[in-house]
Amino acid sequence: MKKQVIDDFITPNKYLLAARLTSQKLFHELCPVKRSHRQRKYCVVLLTTEATKLSKPFEAFLSFALANTQDTVRFVHVYSNRQQEFANTLLPDSDTFQGKSAIFSLGPSQKASSLWVSILERRNTAGRVVYKTLEDPWTGSESDKFILLGYLDQLRKDPALLSSEAVLPDLTDELAPIFLLRWLYSASDYISDSWDSIFHSNWREMMPLLSLVFSALFILFGTVIIQAFSKIPKKGFVEVTELTDVTYASNLVRLRPGHMNVVLILSNSTKTSLLQKFALEVYTFTGSSCLHFSFLSLDKHREWLEYLLEFAQDVAPIPNQYDKHFMERDYTGYVLALNGHKKYFCLFKPQRTVEEEEAMGSCSDLDSSLHLGESRGKSSGLGSRPIKGKLSKLSLWMERLLEGSLQRFYIPSWPELD
């Protein structure tokens, strides 16, 4: 059998005939709250005691419930000695009830010992009900059945028959004697009722509250998302790859739009010291996913570098190849920011001395005396300074690179890297 078929059979038959109300949750399920005029549900409640459970009046109530054919009416019973507040609300202390209770009393406590029948309709989850309690105690006689049947028939045509109104207290959970369990059940019932009321309440009335809730959630999560994207986490290291004929295409020629490769120029003798200083200077910029870091060996690819520098003659002129210092030109410490997609680069050149103007690469206006010093790299003051000093102020140059304020040198195409 299909699961749906089994559920359809079990759901309307999972409770005993005229089940006993032992908790507020069970009360919600057996006597649901009124939703609309077409969804009225009435509960016929028998207020009895444990001592009268096997009596003839109780058996007569069960037989009456069995003969019921109305799907809008359900039958339940309550032990009035266990649910005293609930029972007392439906049976107010009046002379009429007390006097009639004395006639049919089954013990010293007149009101508690009699069986009473009350017809009620729940109006909300807060306990508000309209009800009518039969004027005489329930004896199970044919006359009592006829009177109850007449009220139920009349109720189908005239809901105003339930003329009394009260707020019922929550039923005590008789199956949870431990205080903690009772508290948990109460909390569960409250959450369930709140969730149920959200889906079945008038949506027009709920719109201001829902609008306020969603606005608060939008502001909260919006703030978290903005902060998450505005604070890009930095790596714990600087990944610097060597630019070779193998990595050339992926790291430069086919670099995605908006991405740049920052390349350090070094030699075999200066590799260790320059890489350490380079990593230190660019570490604060590793959070940007658009920046990639590489190094180029001057001993292997000098021609490639000088081809690029030909397009930046105003700041880095290339000496004539017949110049005796042609092969002595020192490019270690140069840094190039290469934009593979737009085919341009920005240039950082080591500063001549610490005291002189900062080396802002292509963004600086350098005089011709600097060119002469660099063309004689080994004999100038640059060669005597510590190697790491060549990359001083590189972090400032990186900031201007990200600002877009550095001069750009465009080339027609990227040369091959042999």
Side-chain angles (χ1 to χ4, degrees):
M1 295 180 65
K2 295 182 178 180
K3 182 178 182 298
Q4 185 62 38
V5 177
I6 298 175
D7 292 341
D8 292 342
F9 175 78
I10 293 177
T11 300
N13 299 283
K14 62 181 179 180
Y15 296 111
L16 298 174
L17 182 66
R20 179 165 68 93
L21 298 180
T22 57
S23 67
Q24 189 68 16
K25 181 179 180 181
L26 189 61
F27 187 36
H28 290 332
E29 295 183 10
L30 293 177
C31 303
V33 176
K34 167 192 171 182
R35 301 301 180 195
S36 66
H37 292 289
R38 296 182 179 181
Q39 295 180 328
R40 292 181 180 275
K41 295 291 184 180
Y42 302 103
C43 259
V44 181
V45 183
L46 176 67
L47 302 174
T48 180
T49 60
E50 296 181 63
T52 60
K53 184 175 181 180
L54 300 179
S55 63
K56 289 183 179 181
F58 185 83
E59 295 295 336
F61 183 79
L62 293 181
S63 65
F64 186 89
L66 182 62
N68 172 64
T69 58
Q70 300 183 33
D71 58 351
T72 59
V73 180
R74 293 183 177 176
F75 294 82
V76 296
H77 71 281
V78 175
Y79 286 163
S80 56
N81 57 323
R82 293 194 180 186
Q83 306 289 348
Q84 293 182 3
E85 294 184 7
F86 184 90
N88 291 339
T89 303
L90 295 177
L91 293 178
D93 293 327
S94 64
D95 296 336
T96 303
F97 279 99
Q98 289 184 358
K100 293 183 178 180
S101 176
I103 300 175
F104 299 94
S105 63
L106 297 177
S109 179
Q110 297 176 350
K111 184 177 177 182
S113 299
S114 300
L115 283 72
W116 294 89
V117 173
S118 180
I119 307 172
L120 63 86
E121 178 187 6
R122 298 182 64 204
R123 292 297 176 87
N124 58 32
T125 57
R128 180 172 173 266
V129 297
V130 290
Y131 69 98
K132 179 176 182 58
T133 302
L134 272 60
E135 297 178 355
D136 297 319
W138 176 264
T139 63
S141 64
E142 294 298 323
S143 176
D144 288 346
K145 293 180 181 179
F146 182 78
I147 293 174
L148 179 56
L149 182 60
Y151 279 135
L152 294 179
D153 289 339
Q154 184 180 353
L155 194 59
R156 296 172 59 185
K157 303 176 184 178
D158 183 19
L161 177 67
L162 305 181
S163 56
S164 300
E165 184 174 344
V167 177
L168 290 176
D170 288 348
L171 290 165
T172 303
D173 192 347
E174 300 176 12
L175 303 180
I178 303 177
F179 174 78
L180 178 60
L181 292 180
R182 289 185 179 181
W183 183 86
L184 290 176
Y185 283 132
S186 298
S188 175
D189 292 341
Y190 177 77
I191 295 174
S192 177
D193 292 342
S194 301
W195 182 260
D196 187 66
S197 63
I198 290 176
F199 283 94
H200 295 285
S201 297
N202 189 327
W203 282 105
R204 291 185 178 180
E205 298 178 359
M206 295 294 295
M207 282 304 295
L209 176 61
L210 292 176
S211 176
L212 179 62
V213 171
F214 282 112
S215 298
L217 291 177
F218 178 79
I219 295 173
L220 176 62
F221 287 104
T223 303
V224 173
I225 292 174
I226 291 174
Q227 290 181 349
F229 281 97
S230 62
K231 295 182 180 181
I232 303 176
K234 293 182 293 186
K235 299 177 182 178
F237 61 95
V238 181
E239 183 179 355
V240 185
T241 58
E242 183 177 2
L243 197 63
T244 65
D245 56 344
V246 178
T247 61
Y248 185 63
S250 59
N251 286 7
L252 176 60
V253 179
R254 298 176 184 173
L255 207 59
R256 288 178 294 176
H259 287 239
M260 300 190 74
N261 196 341
V262 181
V263 182
L264 168 67
I265 308 301
L266 49 75
S267 61
N268 292 336
S269 59
T270 60
K271 181 177 180 180
T272 302
S273 57
L274 282 181
L275 277 178
Q276 292 177 352
K277 179 62 174 178
F278 181 71
L280 182 63
E281 291 288 325
V282 302
Y283 175 73
T284 56
F285 305 94
T286 55
S288 175
S289 60
C290 298
L291 291 180
H292 309 271
F293 302 96
S294 304
F295 69 89
L296 182 78
S297 175
L298 189 61
D299 300 319
K300 301 177 183 178
H301 307 292
R302 172 182 286 267
E303 294 182 2
W304 180 88
L305 174 64
E306 291 186 340
Y307 173 81
L308 259 64
L309 294 180
E310 288 180 359
F311 295 91
Q313 286 290 313
D314 54 340
V315 296
I318 304 299
N320 189 283
Q321 61 179 336
Y322 299 105
D323 192 314
K324 64 179 180 179
H325 300 293
F326 177 74
M327 298 304 296
E328 298 177 2
R329 186 171 177 83
D330 184 15
Y331 296 113
T332 57
Y334 276 45
V335 178
L336 286 78
L338 309 172
N339 189 313
H341 180 69
K342 293 187 176 181
K343 298 184 179 63
Y344 73 80
F345 65 92
C346 298
L347 178 64
F348 170 85
K349 295 177 59 179
Q351 56 184 343
R352 189 167 56 137
T353 61
V354 177
E355 294 80 7
E356 293 185 45
E357 60 187 38
E358 297 177 348
M360 288 291 124
S362 59
C363 189
S364 303
D365 295 329
L366 303 180
D367 54 30
S368 59
S369 62
L370 180 59
H371 306 158
L372 179 61
E374 289 181 341
S375 66
R376 295 170 174 81
K378 291 186 178 181
S379 60
S380 66
L382 181 62
S384 62
R385 297 200 323 273
I387 297 298
K388 292 184 179 181
K390 292 187 173 186
L391 297 181
S392 298
K393 310 301 181 181
L394 177 61
S395 59
L396 298 178
W397 182 84
M398 288 291 299
E399 290 180 2
R400 299 188 63 181
L401 173 67
L402 295 181
E403 293 173 357
S405 60
L406 293 178
Q407 183 177 352
R408 299 176 181 180
F409 303 101
Y410 289 87
I411 63 173
S413 62
W414 294 111
E416 295 293 331
L417 188 69
D418 298 329

